[in-house]
Amino acid sequence: MRTWTRTAVWSAALTATLGAVVVVSAAIGPVRIPPAAVVKAVLNAVVVPAGIETTWAGFETLTLPGVGLLTLPDVDLAYASPFAFPVDDVHAQIVVGVRLPRIFMAALVGFALAAAGTVMQGFFRNPMADPSIIGVSSGAAVGAVAFIVFPVALSTSVTLPLLGAVDVGLSYGAGVSLFAFVGALLAAFGVYAIATRHGRTPVATLLLAGVAVQTFLGAVISYLQLQAGESLRRIVAWLMGHLSGAAWSDVAVTGLVVPPLFLVLLVYARDLNVLLLGEEEAQGLGIAVERTKRILLGASALITAAGVAFAGIIGFVGLIVPHMLRLVVGPDHRVLLPTAALAGGSFLVAADTVARAGSTELPVGVVTAAVGAPFFVYLLMRREVHEL
């Protein structure tokens, strides 16, 4: 079977699996909702553009130089749903307004972490590699914890042409995510800068630089925790991974970042296969090694940062899921990368469902570690972890 045919078949199967996991997850909670009602509520929430509505009372009158007074119409798109299934209003609100944002966020974060873990394992030719190996998770933790301990005002007033003064501000949760994202990128590119000499970035040096930076940032996190006071509980919750506060705005931001970066990684899947042969062999086969390494590292760092910024530190997704899929579909990254990413989304949705299904909600990172660590030990005992 051709490579892209295998990719399409496996991806279609795993996409269907992800859809089934999403439906089952949305049905589980304090209020049990039949899966059929979940599907109907989701379909009812789908809207398509149905026309344009224009009103002349929407905008205030503006004064333009050389033109004078100008009243602009308020133009809005009108939307309509092609479906109208009978669904209980309470059930519809629970599914669409409460559970689906969290589920979609889990799917996106699991997708991102598994994709980055697959690339890191291939890049370092090390089955123990995961997205945190270049300091992304530690950098995100420092940024988030620093903001929690020393919150700063993220609001200001900006003067825009025609519109005048506009207040721009971020909520507390958005501030934590923003600082986590920035911290993740600074750490990742700091590791890259330390390991790069004369335009070359040896993999071994990059790995050691990542370990050193992670150790240092771990000490910074410990110091910040000592200064936390009453904020310590929020810090621990963030460090253990969380999805409980996910909103549609968070899903939209993550959804705008993750898919394009994944496409970048997928474009370089063949080059990643060649890099497994060694850098000299890859250079001889026409691969721009250093350029490819920069792109893979940069895209992996960005996609991981996008995930951990909103969800905190969630371990084992980027380590276990690529192993599981490699045993099933083989080491070809053209097949492994999309299948591992889809499986990562399903895995994290299922883990978060377990985390919130009990009488007391658990951090999702606890569930992924509780499932991932024994499974990893099982693989080691079965000697199924091979050199890449």
Side-chain angles (χ1 to χ4, degrees), residues 12-13 77 94 129 163 211 346 356 363:
L77 278 176
I94 291 174
L163 298 180
V211 172
S346 298
R356 62 180 173 82

Side-chain angles (χ1 to χ4, degrees), residues 215 250 331 361:
T215 303
D250 303 330
E361 183 173 323

